[in-house]
Amino acid sequence: MFKNPYIRTIIASNALLNLGIWVRNFAILLYVTDLTHNDPVYVSLISVAEFAPIFLFAIIGGTFADRWRPKRTMVSCDLLSAASIFIVLLALWYGSWQVLLLSTFFSAILSQFSQPSAMKILKQHVAPEQLQGVMALFQSLMALFMVIGPVVGTFIYQHFGIFSSLSITGMLFLISALVLTRIPQDEQVIEIDRPTHFIEELKEGIRYVWNNRTLRTLGGTFTIIGLAVGLIQPLMVFVAIENLGQDKEFLQWPLMANGAAMLLGGGLIMGVAKKVQPQLLLAAGLLVSTLTTFGVGWSHNIVLTMALQVLSGLFYPCIHIGINTMMMKNAEAAFIGRVGGALSPLFSGMMVVGMSIGGTLKRESSLNTVYTVSAGLFLLGAMLLLPLLRDRQPVQAVIADDSE
């Protein structure tokens, strides 16, 4: 795979962006919890600012990604993200901490244009039999930064402060843009008999997803697990503080354990990627998430919580790789941006809903209750996949059946 220059370059850019995002996000989390004395509502707002743009802009970004040249789009988005960081630094110097949410929000908007562009490049320049392996590689990279990201982010913030953390993030975004210039120039594609109006293309993408049985099922699963993830996404810091009796800096260790396990799990799945159907990978990941989410919510033992985090990490790549492979294999290159743009808001929209109510639900009930509800939703998401699992046929075959 690494002989492919497109894979090498996108992986290198992705590594730089991941590191920058982890440094920024952990710095903002620690800074805001210091200022608000661990207020769960303000902590939830950080996640809302990060994920709300996925709901609001994913379908728009995906549609434009199908229209625009992918290399130019990715480079421009990284440059704009870097510029926004430096503008926010200036505003933070004179204003209040709320401008940090604006930085996260704007960067997340730009991601809705650059990420589908990267997927489009991979769809065009990676052999179909290698796609699941490439998705596993991206999952392993994400897991690697779940190991080192919290440690690096905490270290930089504690030793150098919020301004240095954001400055480093801006520099990493700039370097990513420079790396992406190594991608060969976008091909000029002459397209015939396709609508050129943006609204028509957007509608065409939604119809494409709706008329495909597999993608419809995936959309339902996306909706359920988005709510499940959103409910607990901002509350892990309270697992450390309330359930385990530690300070908020302890959060980096369960995240590290989870990330290390994800790295191992991604490597294991890479070895069997060609032998296992992606819908089976996704169902297995959701079932394990049901068990581990329930356990983490009720555990007051550090060793048990860490063990559950490891188990969750080992199987989380099944979810990520299963979802991305199903989308990549079931979408033509001309629709890859719009398919992601149509499905992602289902996940992120419910995730934002979950994050918006998670802090309030925890305050009105308990941390245990929120985690129990989340576990039940993961189980429901797995059950929605049963029709695809019963088919016992390749996902591509389901497409053929639906398109006739």
Side-chain angles (χ1 to χ4, degrees):
M1 287 189 293
F2 283 105
K3 294 180 180 179
N4 187 319
Y6 294 94
I7 295 177
R8 287 199 310 270
T9 305
I10 292 176
I11 286 289
S13 168
N14 196 264
L16 291 163
L17 292 176
N18 265 287
L19 182 56
I21 289 169
W22 271 106
V23 170
R24 180 197 66 194
N25 288 357
F26 238 75
I28 292 176
L29 173 64
L30 297 176
Y31 186 69
V32 171
T33 53
D34 283 340
L35 288 179
T36 64
H37 306 291
N38 303 325
D39 189 300
V41 175
Y42 284 113
V43 172
S44 296
L45 280 177
I46 300 172
S47 296
V48 171
E50 182 178 358
F51 292 98
I54 304 176
F55 172 65
L56 299 173
F57 293 95
I59 185 62
I60 297 173
T63 303
F64 275 116
D66 285 338
R67 293 164 62 96
W68 293 344
R69 298 182 187 179
K71 175 186 174 180
R72 180 184 297 178
T73 302
M74 294 167 68
V75 172
S76 300
C77 287
D78 285 356
L79 290 174
L80 289 171
S81 290
S84 73
I85 291 290
F86 295 118
I87 292 172
V88 166
L89 271 173
L90 184 62
L92 184 62
W93 183 264
Y94 293 102
S96 64
W97 64 266
Q98 284 85 350
V99 295
L100 295 172
L101 301 180
L102 180 63
S103 167
T104 303
F105 186 80
F106 185 70
S107 180
I109 291 175
L110 293 172
S111 294
Q112 305 319 303
F113 294 85
S114 63
Q115 288 176 358
S117 296
M119 293 299 104
K120 183 176 182 178
I121 288 177
L122 293 175
K123 178 73 175 180
Q124 291 174 335
H125 299 284
V126 176
E129 63 272 12
Q130 290 185 320
L131 281 176
Q132 191 148 312
V134 172
M135 292 301 103
L137 186 60
F138 273 92
Q139 170 61 43
S140 297
L141 182 66
M142 185 173 71
L144 174 63
F145 283 99
M146 285 198 68
V147 177
I148 65 175
V151 178
V152 174
T154 300
F155 178 85
I156 293 175
Y157 174 75
Q158 289 182 336
H159 288 80
F160 304 104
I162 188 69
F163 289 96
S164 294
S165 296
L166 293 180
S167 298
I168 290 171
T169 296
M171 292 302 299
L172 288 168
F173 287 171
L174 284 175
I175 297 171
S176 173
L178 181 62
V179 168
L180 287 172
T181 61
R182 296 174 60 86
I183 293 178
Q185 287 297 320
D186 295 316
E187 298 176 359
Q188 292 278 11
V189 179
I190 300 176
E191 297 176 332
I192 302 172
D193 295 332
R194 74 186 290 269
T196 57
H197 195 276
F198 170 78
I199 298 299
E200 287 301 316
E201 291 187 13
L202 189 150
K203 291 179 180 178
E204 187 181 37
I206 293 174
R207 285 195 299 268
Y208 184 86
V209 172
W210 181 254
N211 292 331
N212 183 291
R213 178 190 173 195
T214 300
L215 296 178
R216 283 201 313 270
T217 302
L218 190 59
T221 301
F222 257 41
T223 303
I224 297 298
I225 65 175
L227 181 59
V229 172
L231 284 172
I232 60 175
Q233 174 78 19
L235 301 182
M236 189 63 196
V237 66
F238 298 104
V239 171
I241 295 171
E242 297 181 9
N243 281 10
L244 304 180
Q246 305 295 314
D247 55 31
K248 61 181 179 294
E249 285 78 14
F250 181 81
L251 176 62
Q252 63 183 303
W253 302 115
L255 289 180
M256 272 187 63
N258 184 263
M262 283 174 57
L263 185 59
L264 177 60
L268 293 173
I269 293 174
M270 200 181 303
V272 299
K274 295 181 180 179
K275 304 175 184 177
V276 182
Q277 291 184 340
Q279 60 266 42
L280 183 59
L281 286 178
L282 177 55
L286 293 176
L287 289 174
V288 173
S289 291
T290 301
L291 172 65
T292 56
T293 300
F294 182 81
V296 167
W298 287 88
S299 170
H300 292 265
N301 182 280
I302 292 178
V303 174
L304 176 58
T305 298
M306 296 291 278
L308 289 168
Q309 286 291 98
V310 169
L311 181 61
S312 174
L314 282 172
F315 281 85
Y316 181 80
C318 294
I319 298 176
H320 185 268
I321 296 168
I323 286 173
N324 281 286
T325 303
M326 288 174 73
M327 285 198 295
M328 292 284 280
K329 286 189 173 181
N330 287 294
E332 302 167 44
F335 285 89
I336 194 72
R338 280 167 286 178
V339 167
L343 293 178
S344 294
L346 299 176
F347 176 85
S348 58
M350 294 308 294
M351 190 173 178
V352 170
V353 170
M355 290 185 295
S356 301
I357 65 176
T360 302
L361 183 59
K362 178 219 175 268
R363 189 161 58 186
E364 297 299 324
S365 56
S366 68
L367 189 65
N368 301 341
T369 300
V370 180
Y371 270 77
T372 300
V373 172
S374 178
L377 290 170
F378 276 120
L379 180 60
L380 180 59
M383 293 173 64
L384 290 179
L385 293 172
L386 286 176
L388 297 183
L389 296 174
R390 284 199 299 263
D391 284 337
R392 297 187 179 277
Q393 59 178 324
V395 178
Q396 296 93 320
V398 181
I399 297 180
D401 293 341
D402 286 350
S403 61
E404 291 177 354

